[in-house]
Amino acid sequence: MRTIVIPIPKNRTGDSSDVSNYRPISLASVIAKVLDSLLNRCLDKHVSLNDAQFGFRPGLSTESAILCLKRTVQYYTARKTPVFACYLDLSKAFDLVAYHRLWDKMRSETSLPEEVILLFQHWYRNQKNNVRWAGSLSDEYSLTCGVRQGGLSSPTLFNLYMNRLIDELSSTGIGCHIDGVCVNNISYADDMVLLSPSSAALRKMLKICESYAVAQGLKYNAIKSEFMFFKPESPHHKRYTNVPHLTLFGTPLKSVETFKYLGHWVTEDLNDNQDIERERRSLAVRCNMLARRFAKCTDEAKITLFKAAYSDLRVQYNNALRVLMGLPRFCSASAMLAEAHVDGFAAIMRKRCAAHLRRMRDSPNSILRALADRWDSPMLARWIRLHAVR
């Protein structure tokens, strides 16, 4: 039951002396990992989670959560209805999970056998930890709350801890809905965004979040929590000039025009330019690094590296292959790709769009299916534009 805890910096350019700038990752023994894996499989069979939870679930990802956010906003703004989005930040959420509440949830909200629950209780009650720092170990200590960050079962345990809140929000009947499917909240682990066409409904959902946090021993960081106003696609959108007053535990929430949600920059006009420019620069850096490191490799090896590393942003995509293969900057892109037997940028986009649409339609998640099955879905329109014969 002994675990080594490694502090990992959250921000490598931040203050290294600030304790809050570190994330504790737990390293367990091989036997403990095997046991954790078996327990996690048992959790998957007996724990039913709300479809608004996207974190650490098969077939879902940050991409799924971001897509649901943007498509829901587009659905409303295209119908001349504004959308308020509130991004909530939980402080040290994984570390504040109260064990007695977690065991109660296992018994009341899951079909887990009592033996499994008792095994979890015994494991957490008898776990001993040491922090490893600069080759030295701290004194041994026990945990009184918090799931192990880095444990295989920890994400599911945390999802279970938060599931009642998501159920409460989804059952209110307020906020955003698409074809009868509630999309008033989207969660990925401890990152949650609330969506509502009215500020009054958003205030009600914020009150629900506040009450749940108090009852479960959680803390929201009102300074890092912000909200965004998406104006409708209407020539009269300028009439929306008054920014509502929203608070979280009495602290006013800041209104922003951009917000980094799950690594993606969300803007008021849903413009992707910031992310595209970031990826273009990253692509150029990786290309130059590979070109230097593998300059003496065969052409076959270079093409294999190219296929594995690059698939986005047409111009940089073509330039990457030119650099790797040592070709002139202005040589024919189509001839170069054909000779190397590599898909062009447009072909890759068609394949990826088709695969993404298929995954959404085949997903067991009701929110993704509701977005994908609509005939006016932007994803379907994109698929048609990419595959239409010109």
Side-chain angles (χ1 to χ4, degrees), residues 64-84:
S64 305
I66 294 166
L67 184 142
C68 286
L69 166 62
K70 299 185 77 170
R71 293 295 178 259
T72 301
V73 171
Q74 288 174 336
Y75 175 86
Y76 274 82
T77 55
R79 288 161 177 77
K80 299 179 175 57
T81 303
V83 174
F84 296 91

Side-chain angles (χ1 to χ4, degrees), residues 255-275:
S255 175
V256 296
E257 297 180 355
T258 62
F259 187 87
K260 195 172 187 179
Y261 178 64
L262 302 178
H264 172 77
W265 284 104
V266 180
T267 63
E268 283 185 324
D269 58 359
L270 299 180
N271 190 302
D272 293 324
N273 288 345
Q274 284 183 268
D275 282 314

Side-chain angles (χ1 to χ4, degrees), residues 154-259:
S154 298
T156 306
L157 292 176
F158 181 78
N159 282 346
L160 172 62
Y161 200 78
M162 299 297 297
N163 198 61
R164 177 65 66 84
L165 169 61
I166 297 172
D167 283 341
E168 288 184 25
L169 291 169
S170 300
S171 63
T172 57
I174 60 177
C176 293
H177 289 71
I178 296 178
D179 292 343
V181 177
C182 179
V183 204
N184 66 2
N185 72 95
I186 298 171
S187 293
Y188 195 98
D190 54 351
D191 290 306
M192 174 183 283
V193 55
L194 304 178
L195 299 172
S196 173
S198 72
S199 57
L202 188 59
R203 289 191 183 95
K204 291 181 180 179
M205 290 192 287
L206 284 171
K207 291 298 182 184
I208 293 174
C209 293
E210 291 176 353
S211 299
Y212 192 86
V214 172
Q216 303 300 324
L218 299 172
K219 296 180 181 179
Y220 280 106
N221 188 332
I223 304 299
K224 292 185 178 180
S225 299
E226 300 172 332
F227 78 96
M228 186 179 293
F229 177 56
F230 296 96
K231 298 177 182 179
E233 297 177 8
S234 166
H236 306 295
H237 70 269
K238 291 184 179 180
R239 68 178 182 271
Y240 296 98
T241 55
N242 295 326
V243 178
H245 180 71
L246 300 173
T247 62
L248 183 64
F249 286 107
T251 302
L253 294 179
K254 181 182 177 182
S255 175
V256 296
E257 297 180 355
T258 62
F259 187 87

